[in-house]
């Protein structure tokens, strides 16, 4: 199965365990899979680009503090024919004049109701919120990668269990037919063996189909074909000691909660921006201009000006008041969203913690079930040889063992995935916490590169 090493029988019970023994030197590990997903997942890279785009809101807001400079150049032709009151003072020029002009204007806003300051703070809050959204997606991708990795191990082990079961059933059918030929069993026993073998083949085909689907998900999320996978282990060492501690940490560190908190800041500052439209605006403007041949009488005109303007809004149709009220309602909505997010986060932690505790118990129960089923099958086979058990009893015992092995593989899968789910619900499923061998993406690098940029059309990476 594409280079994956499988075990049958009792060895299946340790296929997914952390202490399954030494693994091949070139085996792929769950940590390496998480690194590939963190580095190459297209959804995650798209979200990083979204954060970089949001960074540009800050220099756009800061531009309100800076002067605006315009240069205007003009040229053209004009024709003048001036007739004065006295005919002897008429001025007539049959040739059109070529007029040229140039002007430089500098304007600076001194006060605009603190709109620029609030827009800057609003943009910075948006950046912080997007970083938390990126952190939430980091966790989602890493959890998906860990889950897919364990899914493949589970489905591959399940397929090998089912194939081993088919081989056993084929041998059982052969033995039953031999016994039928010598008159030890009836035709019914043969039919029962044939039916069980057909069912076993169906289960093997279903397991193979499931593995094909999981392989496709592995390629989509992690970025490569699964080959020679090493066992996955839980991450209990990174988890809080108690459920209460986990809940308290999640209300502080979960990125969905912190993103909602920054959302409140964004909406609060949006109210202040809307209120700024009711306050006066103070601007100063200076300019110089030169014009040539604007008329027949004047060859050149030089102009310089400096002007201060105070604009006091009185009534602008009422839209500004509606916008303020709307912004306040949005703020109230975001505060309620925060409470809802906290409640959902708390519920997610409790649910994941419960699944983890149940998973630990299920692994122990499944291991005991496998051990007991193996003993029972051996006993039924011996009793069948002595004529104390029927062929159907042997087939049922064999199926019970198969079911127990599949249950154990599933329980071990669920145990590992549940530990990652708790870590994600708390808000600590991150490369730094897991000590993954990868460079951690730092969104503040791009932010510092563009925050105080006045000019330039190229992105920091040269595009």
């Amino acid at each position: 199965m594409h280079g994956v090493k499988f075990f049958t029988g009792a060895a299946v019970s340790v296929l997914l365990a952390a202490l399954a023994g030494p693994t091949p030197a070139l085996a792929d590990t769950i940590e390496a899979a998480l690194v590939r997903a963190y580095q190459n997942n297209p959804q995650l890279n798209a979200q990083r680009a979204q954060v970089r785009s949001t960074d540009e809101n800050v220099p756009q807001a800061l531009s309100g503090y800076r002067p605006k400079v315009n240069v205007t150049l003009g040229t053209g032709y004009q024709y003048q024919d001036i007739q004065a009151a006295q005919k002897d003072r008429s001025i007539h020029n049959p040739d059109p004049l070529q007029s040229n002009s140039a002007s430089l204007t500098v304007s600076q806003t001194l006060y605009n109701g603190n709109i620029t300051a609030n827009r800057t703070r609003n943009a910075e809050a948006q950046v912080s919120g997007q970083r938390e959204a990126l952190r939430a997606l980091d966790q989602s991708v890493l959890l998906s990668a860990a889950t897919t990795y364990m899914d493949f191990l589970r489905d591959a082990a399940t397929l090998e269990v089912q194939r081993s079961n088919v081989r056993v059933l084929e041998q059982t059918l052969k033995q039953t037919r031999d016994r039928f030929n010598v008159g030890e069993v009836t035709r019914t026993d043969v039919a029962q063996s044939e039916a069980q073998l057909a069912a076993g083949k169906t289960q093997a085909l279903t397991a193979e189909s499931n593995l094909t689907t999981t392989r496709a998900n592995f390629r989509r999320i992690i970025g490569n074909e699964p080959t020679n996978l090493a066992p996955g282990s839980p991450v209990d060492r990174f988890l809080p000691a108690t459920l209460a501690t986990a809940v308290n940490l999640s209300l502080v560190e979960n990125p969905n909660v912190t993103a909602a908190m920054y959302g409140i800041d964004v909406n609060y500052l949006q109210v202040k921006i809307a209120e700024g439209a009711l306050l006066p605006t103070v601007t100063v403007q200076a300019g110089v201009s030169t014009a040539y041949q604007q008329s027949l009488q004047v060859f050149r005109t030089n102009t310089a000006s400096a002007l201060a303007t105070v604009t006091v809004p009185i009534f602008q149709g009422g839209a500004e008041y509606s916008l303020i009220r709307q912004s306040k309602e949005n703020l109230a909505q975001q505060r309620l969203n925060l409470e809802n997010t906290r409640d959902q986060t708390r519920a997610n932690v409790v649910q994941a913690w419960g699944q983890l505790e149940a998973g630990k118990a299920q692994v122990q129960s499944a291991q005991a079930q496998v051990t007991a089923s193996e003993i029972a099958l051996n006993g039924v086979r011996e009793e069948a040889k002595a004529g104390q058990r029927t062929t159907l009893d042997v087939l049922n015992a064999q199926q019970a063992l198969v079911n127990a092995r599949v249950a154990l593989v599933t329980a071990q899968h669920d145990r590992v995935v549940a530990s990652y789910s708790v870590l994600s619900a708390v808000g600590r499923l991150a490369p730094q916490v897991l000590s993954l061998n990868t460079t951690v993406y730092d969104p503040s690098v791009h932010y510092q590169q563009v925050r105080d940029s006045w000019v330039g059309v190229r992105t920091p990476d040269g595009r």
Side-chain angles (χ1 to χ4, degrees), residues 209-432:
S209 175
N210 293 337
L211 184 62
T212 300
T213 301
T214 305
R215 181 181 293 107
N217 289 333
F218 194 104
R219 176 67 179 83
R220 176 178 61 86
I221 296 173
I222 298 178
N224 68 295
E225 294 293 335
T227 304
N228 197 29
L229 303 187
S233 59
V235 288
D236 294 356
R237 60 191 180 281
F238 302 121
L239 299 180
T242 64
L243 174 59
T245 303
V247 170
N248 292 334
L249 285 175
S250 70
L251 299 180
V252 177
E253 298 188 12
N254 187 285
N256 294 319
V257 174
T258 51
M261 295 173 66
Y262 283 118
I264 291 180
D265 295 339
V266 170
N267 283 273
Y268 172 78
L269 292 166
Q270 194 60 48
V271 173
K272 294 302 180 182
I273 293 171
E275 290 175 346
L278 303 179
L279 300 176
T281 300
V282 180
T283 60
V284 294
Q285 179 175 302
V288 294
S289 63
T290 299
Y292 292 89
Q293 293 184 338
Q294 298 296 306
S295 66
L296 292 174
Q297 298 90 340
V298 180
F299 173 72
R300 184 178 69 182
T301 302
N302 294 326
T303 304
S305 64
L307 180 66
T309 304
V310 178
T311 303
V312 180
I314 302 300
F315 183 72
Q316 303 173 34
E320 65 276 22
Y321 298 104
S322 176
L323 185 59
I324 292 173
R325 296 192 301 270
Q326 183 183 53
S327 300
K328 289 181 178 180
E329 292 295 344
N330 290 338
L331 174 59
Q333 179 189 20
Q334 186 60 38
R335 285 172 173 162
L336 293 174
N337 287 341
L338 173 60
E339 292 304 314
N340 180 65
T341 302
R342 284 172 171 164
D343 291 341
Q344 186 62 55
T345 299
R346 184 183 294 107
N348 290 342
V349 172
V350 174
Q351 179 182 5
W353 190 276
Q355 291 174 344
L356 177 60
E357 293 299 314
K360 294 176 181 178
Q362 288 169 357
V363 169
Q364 295 177 350
S365 298
Q367 287 174 338
Q369 182 183 0
V370 169
T371 301
S373 296
E374 289 175 343
I375 295 173
L377 176 60
N378 292 331
V380 169
R381 284 173 175 170
E382 293 299 323
E383 293 172 358
K385 292 179 181 179
Q388 298 176 345
R389 292 283 184 171
T390 65
T391 300
L392 182 59
D393 292 332
V394 176
L395 295 174
N396 289 339
Q398 171 65 23
Q399 186 59 46
L401 177 58
V402 170
N403 294 341
R405 288 173 175 172
V406 172
L408 176 58
V409 169
T410 302
Q412 291 173 328
H413 161 277
D414 295 345
R415 164 76 173 86
V416 176
V417 172
S419 67
Y420 278 91
S421 297
V422 173
L423 197 61
S424 175
V426 171
R428 290 188 170 182
L429 184 56
Q432 304 93 315

Side-chain angles (χ1 to χ4, degrees), residues 46-236:
Q47 185 64 30
R48 290 165 181 165
Q50 178 62 45
V51 174
R52 294 193 295 270
S53 175
T54 305
D55 288 344
E56 296 291 351
N57 291 342
V58 176
Q60 291 171 20
L62 288 171
S63 67
Y65 287 122
R66 300 163 186 162
K68 295 177 176 58
V69 182
N70 294 302
V71 174
T72 304
L73 302 175
T75 185
Y77 292 89
Q78 61 176 326
Y79 175 78
Q80 289 184 331
D81 188 355
I82 302 175
Q83 182 68 47
Q86 295 81 11
K87 294 183 179 180
D88 58 350
R89 294 180 57 193
S90 65
I91 301 175
H92 177 69
N93 181 16
D95 299 323
L97 297 173
Q98 182 178 5
S99 301
N100 300 299
S101 64
S103 65
L104 172 67
T105 303
V106 180
S107 61
Q108 175 67 59
T109 300
L110 300 181
Y111 180 76
N112 61 353
N114 290 325
I115 290 179
T116 298
N118 288 323
R119 280 178 177 167
T120 301
R121 294 166 59 197
N122 180 281
E124 290 171 342
Q126 290 179 31
V127 169
S128 298
Q130 281 295 321
R131 290 180 182 178
E132 293 306 300
L134 174 61
R135 195 161 68 89
L137 187 58
D138 284 345
Q139 295 200 146
S140 177
V141 169
L142 291 176
L143 178 59
S144 296
T147 301
T148 301
Y149 187 97
M150 297 305 302
D151 285 350
F152 188 84
L153 284 177
R154 176 200 61 196
D155 293 345
T158 299
L159 176 59
E160 183 59 25
V161 168
Q162 296 296 348
R163 286 178 172 175
S164 176
N165 180 50
V166 169
R167 291 192 293 269
V168 172
L169 291 175
E170 288 174 342
Q171 183 65 26
T172 301
L173 176 59
K174 181 179 180 302
Q175 294 174 353
T176 303
R177 285 173 174 170
D178 292 341
R179 296 176 65 190
F180 172 73
N181 291 333
V182 298
E184 293 184 2
V185 297
T186 67
R187 179 64 187 168
T188 302
D189 295 300
V190 175
Q192 290 173 338
S193 297
E194 291 173 341
Q196 195 72 8
L197 175 58
K201 290 181 178 180
T202 299
Q203 293 171 348
L205 291 173
T206 301
E208 187 173 359
S209 175
N210 293 337
L211 184 62
T212 300
T213 301
T214 305
R215 181 181 293 107
N217 289 333
F218 194 104
R219 176 67 179 83
R220 176 178 61 86
I221 296 173
I222 298 178
N224 68 295
E225 294 293 335
T227 304
N228 197 29
L229 303 187
S233 59
V235 288
D236 294 356

